[in-house]
């Protein structure tokens, strides 16, 4: 290490500044709201399949939509993808999505409907 | 001193445990060259069988095995590892890094590839090699008797894991380890193409992994994904294979494009023409490469709309490819061109590869494809792009970077003999195959009837193959006879433009005594013109932190190797062997996770001494 000095894994000491405290409070609020939302979305998904009142034709796309929302919340809120310095992970993930969507979509069309 | 300790260990142990990107690069090159020679031998045997009509040099079953192993070996065990060898050695140097981001994973990637390759070839000695083609279409592969295809499935699975690990490692290295001043748009083209090829690996290999997994479940555990009588669908395999397979051909060609960009610019003493256009063309090719896979399946019966869409998408790739071709020509234009062997290979690439591109567009014409498909025309096409592109690139790169990697220059006279014999042999072998295909000779046949106009061209083709074989032997000989041409100068060609020509030869194990400061594209060339010819340092001289070697990557790969045998002979009651192998693998992973390893430091004094 030598000239690089401090150990990055050493525990922090002292009180956070006013600004940091406010940031932490806001952060906590977003986390809690997202957490509640996640539980709500999961139970919606569960109910839409478990109850006989909702037709399968609707339930399938509905839970897929919920899943997409959950993935995005998961990545951006819980895994902090929206914070600065995450440009590359964002770019790579969205490139992957950009490649995967047309691939999977056309694959489903090609396999599902025999002649086009 | 841990450094001195490392040196006192035996040479073999040193190579088995190394995590140095340069040594791993050399191991990729050596193993890749071995498999290249093996695949070449298989090709020669096939060409002898096809030299005369109804010849009986090898039986048809053996021919099918040679055919399958030739394709599989050349793509997975020769071309890709050889490219990985150059990437490993050169990319960290080009971006001013001391190693890759994950040295341990790098070693793991290599050993997985090697054990996968060995596994595949063990099949020759135990009941026959795989015989369903490198594409392993079901139901031919799922119904193929014996264990050959099982070796294919597990061998590729193991080596594919290594490739995926290697690709991820390059991505992280290029994103995170660039020297100060080396922005993305200052990276040399070889590094750029490595980056894009690694992205293709990241997104394409999972499709192969899934395909192989399904095939393994089908063959060994009685699943029915592809069994039509149980409601399965054979076309799924073709889609999965080509969703991987087409990006795969670009994983091969893009790094070769990168090599040519470096060499053409160095040996015409000019900056690469249209640098940013080259970068964007590479990115666009990478993206479009995922949107065209079904051009391998025009005759499957997808229907005219699907065929047309994929035909147009495929032809679109010719546009960025054309941009690159013109940029290379304009790089040469007005340059002070030196006809070194490396540059000869690069110059020969341009027309040869263009011919392959033209037949590619012909094949992409979906209506005409019904005529071309599964004939020697396709064989001619992909050999023009793969030999005329990838293999010429590998030889060009070998001649160009040899002094950097091995500390001596390859003999130029023998090099020119090698080049001309190889080039003539290559065109002799494959040019006539266009016409063999057009007059109806199907590909993948073990023999043909005489008197149908096929005899002469097949004979010519075989002669060409012999020439390529002789040329390669000359190359191997020149490797040994050139050893006396030692070089010590950091920039042995005298016109190096990029960072890999800034450190002494042999390359110190820490690469850069001080991380360089990059001030332009072609960082070294800029300093030669605007500075004093030496890179500015971005940090003071100090102790250098190095990772420790480890035997664990070897053990992990060995575990998967052993485990694969357990799966292949599952029905003979070898499940325990599969479990044992996995225990070894996970045990090594566990040890790796709990054992702390902080590496060691090379003291400043030694760095100063090494720089002398
Ligand atoms: C302009 C660019 C290209 C076009 C338009 C193109 C088009 C095609 C098409 C349509 C086929 C299918 C032929 C058939 O089976 O009927 C094909 C096969 C093939 N191409 Fe290309 N290609 C291009 C470039 C490349 C490159 C750069 C490579 C490799 C470096 C490559 C490697 C292959 C291989 C290996 C096959 C045969 C696969 C097999 O069936 O075993 N192609 N190409
Ligand atoms: Cu293709």
């Amino acid at each position: 290490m030598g000239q690089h000095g401090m150990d990055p894994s050493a525990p922090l000491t002292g009180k956070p500044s006013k600004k940091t405290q406010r940031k932490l409070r806001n952060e906590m609020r977003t986390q809690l709201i997202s957490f509640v939302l996640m539980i709500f979305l999961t139970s919606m998904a569960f109910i839409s399949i478990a109850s006989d009142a909702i037709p399968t034709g609707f339930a399938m796309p509905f839970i897929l939509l919920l899943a997409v929302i959950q993935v995005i919340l998961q990545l951006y809120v819980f895994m902090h993808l929206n914070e600065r310095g995450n440009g590359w992970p964002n770019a790579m993930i969205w490139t992957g999505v950009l490649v995967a969507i047309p691939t999977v979509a056309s694959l489903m069309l090609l396999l599902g409907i025999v002649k086009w | 001193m841990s450094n001195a300790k490392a040196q006192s260990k035996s040479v073999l142990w040193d190579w088995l445990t190394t995590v140095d990107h340069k040594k791993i690069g050399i191991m990729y090159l050596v193993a890749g060259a071995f498999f290249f020679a093996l695949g070449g031998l298989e090709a020669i045997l096939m060409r002898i069988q096809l030299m005369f009509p109804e010849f009986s040099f090898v039986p048809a079953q053996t021919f099918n095995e040679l055919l399958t192993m030739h394709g599989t070996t050349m793509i997975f065990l020769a071309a890709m590892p050889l490219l990985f060898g150059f990437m490993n050695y050169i990319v960290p140097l080009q971006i001013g890094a001391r190693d890759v981001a994950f040295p341990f994973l790098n070693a793991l990637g290599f050993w997985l590839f090697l054990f996968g390759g060995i596994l595949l070839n063990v099949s020759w000695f135990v009941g026959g090699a795989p015989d369903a083609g490198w594409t392993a279409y079901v139901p031919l592969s799922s119904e193929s008797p014996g264990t050959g295809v099982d070796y294919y499935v597990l061998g590729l699975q193991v080596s594919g894991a290594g490739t995926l690990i290697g690709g991820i490692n390059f991505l992280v290295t290029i994103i995170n380890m660039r020297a100060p001043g080396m922005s993305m748009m200052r990276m040399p083209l070889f590094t750029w193409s490595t980056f894009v090829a690694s992205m293709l690996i990241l997104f394409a290999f999972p499709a192969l992994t899934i395909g192989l997994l399904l095939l393994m479940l089908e063959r060994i555990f009685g699943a029915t994904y592809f069994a039509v009588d149980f409601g399965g669908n054979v076309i799924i395999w073709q889609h999965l294979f080509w969703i991987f397979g087409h990006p795969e051909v670009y994983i091969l060609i893009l790094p070769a494009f990168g090599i040519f960009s470096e060499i053409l610019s160095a040996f015409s003493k000019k900056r690469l023409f249209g640098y940013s256009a080259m970068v964007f063309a590479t990115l666009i090719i990478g993206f479009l490469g995922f949107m065209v896979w079904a051009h391998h399946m025009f005759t499957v019966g997808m229907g005219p709309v699907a065929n047309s869409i994929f035909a147009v998408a495929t032809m679109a790739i010719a546009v960025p490819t054309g941009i690159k071709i013109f940029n290379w020509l304009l790089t040469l234009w007005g340059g002070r061109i030196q006809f070194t062997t490396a540059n000869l290979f690069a110059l020969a690439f341009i027309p040869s590869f263009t011919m392959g591109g033209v037949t590619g567009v012909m094949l992409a014409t979906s209506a005409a494809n019904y005529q071309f498909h599964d004939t020697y025309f396709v064989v001619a096409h992909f050999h023009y792009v793969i030999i005329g592109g990838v293999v010429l690139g590998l030889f060009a790169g070998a001649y160009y970077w040899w002094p950097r990697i091995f500390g001596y220059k390859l003999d130029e006279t023998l090099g020119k003999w090698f080049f001309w014999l190889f080039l003539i042999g290559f065109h002799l072998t494959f040019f006539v195959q266009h016409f063999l295909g057009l007059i109806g000779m199907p590909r993948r046949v073990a023999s043909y009837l005489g008197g149908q106009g096929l005899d002469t061209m097949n004979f010519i083709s075989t002669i060409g193959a012999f020439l390529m074989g002789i040329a390669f032997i000359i190359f191997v000989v020149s490797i040994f006879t050139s050893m006396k041409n030692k070089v010590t100068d950091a920039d042995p060609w005298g016109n190096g433009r990029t960072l890999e020509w800034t450190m002494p030869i042999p390359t110190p194990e820490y690469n850069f005594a001080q991380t360089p400061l990059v001030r332009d594209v072609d960082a070294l060339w800029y300093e030669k013109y605007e500075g004093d010819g030496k890179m500015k340092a971005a940090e003071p001289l100090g102790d250098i932190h190095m990772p420790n070697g480890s035997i664990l990557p070897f053990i992990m790969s060995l575990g998967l190797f052993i485990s694969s045998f357990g799966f292949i002979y599952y029905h003979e009651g070898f499940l325990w062997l599969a479990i044992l192998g996995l225990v070894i693998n996970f045990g090594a992973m566990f040890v790796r996770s709990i054992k702390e390893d902080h590496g060691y430091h090379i003291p400043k004094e030694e760095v100063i001494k090494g720089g002398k």
Side-chain angles (χ1 to χ4, degrees):
Chain A
M1 289 281 148
Q3 71 271 33
H4 298 306
M6 52 190 246
D7 175 7
S9 58
L12 295 171
T13 49
K15 265 199 160 165
S17 69
K18 271 263 153 55
K19 210 173 128 205
T20 317
Q21 269 178 340
R22 199 163 49 235
K23 239 181 72 188
L24 285 176
R25 248 199 329 271
N26 280 343
E27 168 91 21
M28 182 57 126
R29 204 170 51 218
T30 343
Q31 295 274 333
L32 277 177
I33 294 174
S34 315
F35 182 63
V36 174
L37 199 61
M38 285 294 227
I39 294 182
F40 174 69
L41 290 177
T42 309
S43 37
M44 287 293 285
F46 185 75
I47 292 169
S48 66
I49 297 296
S51 92
D52 294 330
I54 294 153
T56 334
F58 174 76
M60 290 266 274
F62 181 62
I63 63 169
L64 278 177
L65 182 72
L66 294 185
V68 170
I69 297 174
Q70 287 206 336
V71 166
I72 292 177
L73 277 181
Q74 174 77 25
L75 288 174
Y76 281 89
V77 179
F78 297 148
M79 296 178 76
H80 303 279
L81 210 59
N82 53 354
E83 281 173 21
R84 282 211 282 132
N86 280 331
W88 276 109
N90 263 303
M92 298 298 281
I93 288 176
W94 288 111
T95 313
V97 171
L98 194 70
V99 169
I101 285 179
T103 307
V104 173
S106 42
L107 189 56
M108 283 169 70
L109 284 176
L110 287 172
L111 286 174
I113 301 162
V114 182
K115 285 271 190 283
W116 267 77
Chain B
M1 202 82 300
S2 39
N3 192 28
K5 204 173 70 202
Q7 266 159 21
S8 69
K9 285 181 191 146
S10 81
V11 177
L12 179 67
W13 184 254
D14 182 35
W15 285 90
L16 287 179
T17 59
T18 187
V19 293
D20 178 352
H21 72 98
K22 297 180 288 299
K23 287 189 173 153
I24 293 173
I26 290 175
M27 291 198 292
Y28 266 118
L29 290 177
V30 172
F34 170 75
F35 286 122
F36 184 81
L38 196 62
L41 181 68
E42 285 154 4
I44 299 264
L45 294 179
M46 279 190 290
R47 272 320 319 168
I48 295 177
Q49 165 64 19
L50 293 174
M51 201 167 174
F52 304 105
E54 292 183 88
F55 206 35
S56 46
F57 177 67
V58 291
Q61 173 62 23
T62 311
F63 186 92
N64 290 347
E65 293 172 17
L66 287 170
L67 174 88
T68 304
M69 286 300 281
H70 164 71
T72 313
T73 302
M74 283 304 196
I75 299 249
F76 293 98
L77 309 179
M80 261 209 298
L82 287 168
L83 289 168
F84 264 45
F86 288 126
M87 292 174 180
N88 252 303
Y89 201 104
I90 301 297
V91 166
L93 301 186
Q94 281 195 333
I95 61 175
R98 294 220 165 91
D99 206 323
V100 290
F102 305 119
F104 181 93
L105 284 187
N106 201 16
L108 180 60
F110 169 76
W111 290 111
L112 284 172
F113 140 67
L114 187 64
F115 276 110
I118 294 173
L119 181 64
L120 204 53
N121 279 284
V122 166
S123 63
W124 283 114
F125 307 103
V126 284
D131 57 357
W134 85 282
T135 52
Y137 274 15
V138 293
L140 189 61
S141 59
S142 51
E143 302 295 324
S144 163
T147 51
V149 177
D150 300 324
Y151 277 93
Y152 169 95
V153 168
L154 282 147
L156 287 189
Q157 198 68 286
V158 172
S159 79
T163 308
L164 199 50
I165 289 174
I168 293 172
N169 195 6
F170 286 127
L171 284 176
V172 183
T173 303
I174 293 172
I175 290 175
N176 284 339
M177 311 273 288
R178 281 169 287 132
M182 172 73 74
S183 61
M184 290 303 277
M185 289 310 275
R186 282 186 187 165
M187 292 193 324
L189 247 277
F190 181 60
T191 301
W192 253 116
S193 54
T194 300
F195 181 73
V196 178
S198 301
M199 277 187 43
L200 297 188
I201 290 175
L202 178 63
F203 295 139
F205 264 73
L208 177 70
T209 306
I210 297 298
L212 291 174
L213 179 70
L214 298 188
L215 187 52
M216 171 174 148
L217 293 175
E218 181 110 354
R219 278 183 63 89
I220 300 176
F221 299 105
T224 54
Y225 304 103
F226 308 123
V228 177
D229 29 354
F230 293 96
N233 184 341
V234 285
I235 305 300
I236 293 175
W237 168 266
Q238 296 192 21
H239 280 297
L240 283 174
F241 187 86
W242 288 117
I243 287 174
F244 147 78
H246 189 81
E248 167 67 19
V249 305
Y250 283 98
I251 293 168
L252 296 175
I253 197 66
L254 288 179
F257 283 175
I259 296 176
F260 292 125
S261 302
E262 305 285 322
I263 290 175
L264 288 171
S265 136
F267 289 112
S268 29
K269 289 206 166 197
K270 270 181 70 189
R271 192 180 179 138
L272 187 69
F273 188 91
Y275 172 87
S276 39
M278 285 300 235
V279 171
F280 282 112
T282 310
L283 285 166
I284 291 172
I285 292 176
F287 179 73
L288 285 181
F290 280 101
M291 304 296 150
V292 298
W293 79 87
H295 66 212
H296 295 273
M297 301 168 58
F298 284 144
T299 56
V300 161
M302 298 182 298
V305 175
N307 275 9
S308 313
I309 292 173
F310 279 98
V312 173
T314 304
M315 291 176 191
I317 299 195
V319 177
T321 314
I323 292 177
K324 293 187 85 86
I325 300 272
F326 284 113
N327 278 333
W328 285 315
L329 291 177
L330 289 166
T331 304
L332 290 165
W333 189 275
R336 194 132 17 102
I337 302 174
Q338 278 172 291
F339 293 94
T340 56
T341 308
N343 203 23
L344 283 178
F345 276 110
L347 293 169
F349 146 79
I350 297 177
S352 307
F353 181 81
T354 305
M355 288 175 68
V358 170
T359 51
V361 175
M362 291 171 72
L363 286 166
T365 318
S366 52
N369 184 273
Y370 278 73
Q371 182 71 20
F372 305 138
H373 182 64
D374 264 344
T375 69
Y376 261 81
F377 192 81
V378 177
V379 179
H381 157 70
F382 66 72
H383 283 92
Y384 262 84
V385 281
I386 291 183
I387 299 185
V390 185
V391 175
L392 291 188
L394 287 168
F395 288 142
Y399 272 84
Y400 181 55
W401 282 316
W402 202 274
R404 164 54 61 207
I405 300 176
F406 297 106
Y408 62 95
K409 270 193 187 179
L410 288 171
D411 188 88
E412 284 286 314
T413 316
L414 281 181
K416 277 164 196 162
W417 275 99
F418 165 44
F419 165 74
W420 284 111
L421 273 178
F422 189 83
L423 188 74
I424 294 169
F426 156 58
H427 282 282
L428 211 53
T429 311
F430 295 109
F431 190 69
V432 288
Q433 293 188 359
H434 292 113
F435 303 102
L436 281 174
L438 290 177
I439 60 179
M441 179 162 167
R443 68 188 281 203
R444 293 174 169 166
V445 287
S447 194
Y448 53 93
L449 278 178
Q452 302 186 69
L454 305 175
D455 311 10
T456 322
M457 285 193 278
N458 269 301
F459 186 78
I460 294 175
S461 190
T462 303
I463 299 300
F466 288 154
L467 284 188
M468 280 197 279
I470 294 168
F472 187 69
I473 292 171
I474 293 181
F475 174 64
V476 174
V477 168
S478 89
I479 290 177
F480 293 100
T481 58
S482 313
M483 282 185 178
K484 55 188 182 302
N485 305 340
K486 287 249 179 309
V487 290
T488 47
D489 186 11
D491 181 12
W493 298 109
N495 44 15
R497 314 177 68 85
T498 36
L499 289 179
E500 79 265 32
W501 304 112
T502 58
M503 71 287 295
I505 291 177
T507 318
E509 63 171 318
Y510 44 81
N511 298 351
F512 297 91
Q514 288 165 286
T515 303
L517 179 71
V518 176
R519 302 204 287 172
D520 200 357
V521 210
D522 292 348
L524 175 60
W525 192 254
Y526 181 82
E527 299 298 337
K528 284 179 183 172
Y529 265 70
E530 307 288 332
D532 57 0
K534 293 216 160 51
M535 295 308 297
K536 306 244 171 312
E539 61 173 10
L541 211 54
D543 296 355
I544 292 176
H545 181 229
M546 300 292 291
N548 278 326
S550 169
I551 192 66
L552 291 175
F554 182 89
I555 296 179
M556 288 178 193
S557 313
L558 184 67
L560 287 185
F561 181 71
I562 294 172
S563 177
S564 301
F565 284 105
F567 283 115
I568 294 170
Y569 297 106
Y570 174 78
H571 290 290
E572 282 77 21
F574 278 93
L575 181 62
W576 62 270
L577 193 62
I579 295 171
L580 176 73
L582 288 177
V583 168
I584 295 174
N585 179 265
F586 281 102
M589 275 158 57
F590 183 70
V591 172
R592 164 75 182 167
S593 312
I594 57 163
K595 219 181 80 179
E596 291 216 29
D597 182 354
H598 295 295
Y600 66 98
H601 285 84
I602 299 178
K604 189 170 155 182
E605 301 75 54
E606 225 165 287
V607 175
I608 297 173
K609 246 193 301 165
K612 292 272 157 59

